[in-house]
Amino acid sequence: MTINAGQLMHRDLSSVSEDDHVLDAVHLLFSQRLSGVPVVRDDWVLAGYLSEKDILRKATPTYLEVLAQSSFLDDTEGNLIERLKQIGNMKVKDVMNPDPIFVRPSESLMTVVDLMLRKGLKRLPVVEGRKLVGVIDRGGFCEFMMEGSEFHETR
């Protein structure tokens, strides 16, 4: 039996647009208990991906910033909080990954697992043509194990 990404993906397409504010996206992430969300245009074309990691990376100073401003090290927590406030007012397009990794519905589950493990991804957009059609997350594999008849032998 062959199962592909299209059969395992979730079709509930929680997403944000490039012009949404990051704080609105964070509310979606928190309320839906997501670690990241696809960024789509009006026609559902995948424009990018916004993850918790992208937000934290944007809030953390680069190595050069640390070297240039020794004062940053004096109040690290205060500066981090201030940066997070500023990021909340930014547009998603200024924080997102504009070149997200994605799979096609026809991709094998082994390809999906390999990408998730090698790249450290929790969620992976599924794209047909250029349009978002679903998302696969790590939990989907556990859900498949619980619901899939292949895993339920008579004992």
Side-chain angles (χ1 to χ4, degrees), residues 62-110:
T62 65
Y63 179 71
L64 291 177
E65 287 175 322
V66 171
L67 289 178
Q69 295 182 344
S70 62
S71 64
F72 185 90
L73 297 175
D74 296 338
D75 185 16
T76 306
E77 188 173 307
N79 282 331
L80 177 63
I81 291 168
E82 188 57 37
R83 282 175 177 244
L84 287 170
K85 286 180 187 177
Q86 291 170 0
I87 291 167
N89 292 322
M90 295 173 78
K91 300 285 186 182
V92 166
K93 64 184 168 191
D94 298 322
V95 180
M96 72 179 193
N97 173 359
D99 190 25
I101 298 170
F102 63 88
V103 293
R104 306 265 180 225
S106 60
E107 296 282 354
S108 72
L109 292 187
M110 187 56 80

Side-chain angles (χ1 to χ4, degrees), residues 25-40:
V26 168
H27 282 288
L28 177 66
L29 293 175
F30 182 76
S31 68
Q32 299 291 319
R33 297 179 184 226
L34 302 172
S35 59
V37 65
V39 181
V40 295

Side-chain angles (χ1 to χ4, degrees), residues 19-154:
D19 291 323
D20 287 341
H21 284 99
V22 172
L23 187 57
D24 294 331
V26 168
H27 282 288
L28 177 66
L29 293 175
F30 182 76
S31 68
Q32 299 291 319
R33 297 179 184 226
L34 302 172
S35 59
V37 65
V39 181
V40 295
R41 298 197 175 100
D42 289 338
D43 54 0
W44 288 95
V45 169
L46 184 66
Y49 196 84
L50 179 70
S51 69
E52 297 165 330
K53 184 177 181 179
D54 296 324
I55 295 166
L56 291 176
R57 184 176 288 138
K58 187 79 170 177
T60 306
T62 65
Y63 179 71
L64 291 177
E65 287 175 322
V66 171
L67 289 178
Q69 295 182 344
S70 62
S71 64
F72 185 90
L73 297 175
D74 296 338
D75 185 16
T76 306
E77 188 173 307
N79 282 331
L80 177 63
I81 291 168
E82 188 57 37
R83 282 175 177 244
L84 287 170
K85 286 180 187 177
Q86 291 170 0
I87 291 167
N89 292 322
M90 295 173 78
K91 300 285 186 182
V92 166
K93 64 184 168 191
D94 298 322
V95 180
M96 72 179 193
N97 173 359
D99 190 25
I101 298 170
F102 63 88
V103 293
R104 306 265 180 225
S106 60
E107 296 282 354
S108 72
L109 292 187
M110 187 56 80
T111 299
V112 173
V113 170
D114 177 58
L115 274 173
M116 289 179 136
L117 292 176
R118 272 190 308 111
K119 302 291 185 177
L121 303 172
K122 295 179 181 178
R123 304 184 83 229
L124 197 54
V126 181
V127 174
E128 192 163 34
R130 295 176 53 218
K131 295 187 179 198
L132 179 69
V133 294
V135 174
I136 293 180
D137 60 29
R138 291 181 188 175
F141 288 94
C142 294
E143 188 178 322
F144 173 69
M145 287 177 67
M146 290 188 313
E147 296 177 1
S149 60
E150 300 80 16
F151 294 94
H152 300 284
E153 299 175 15
T154 53

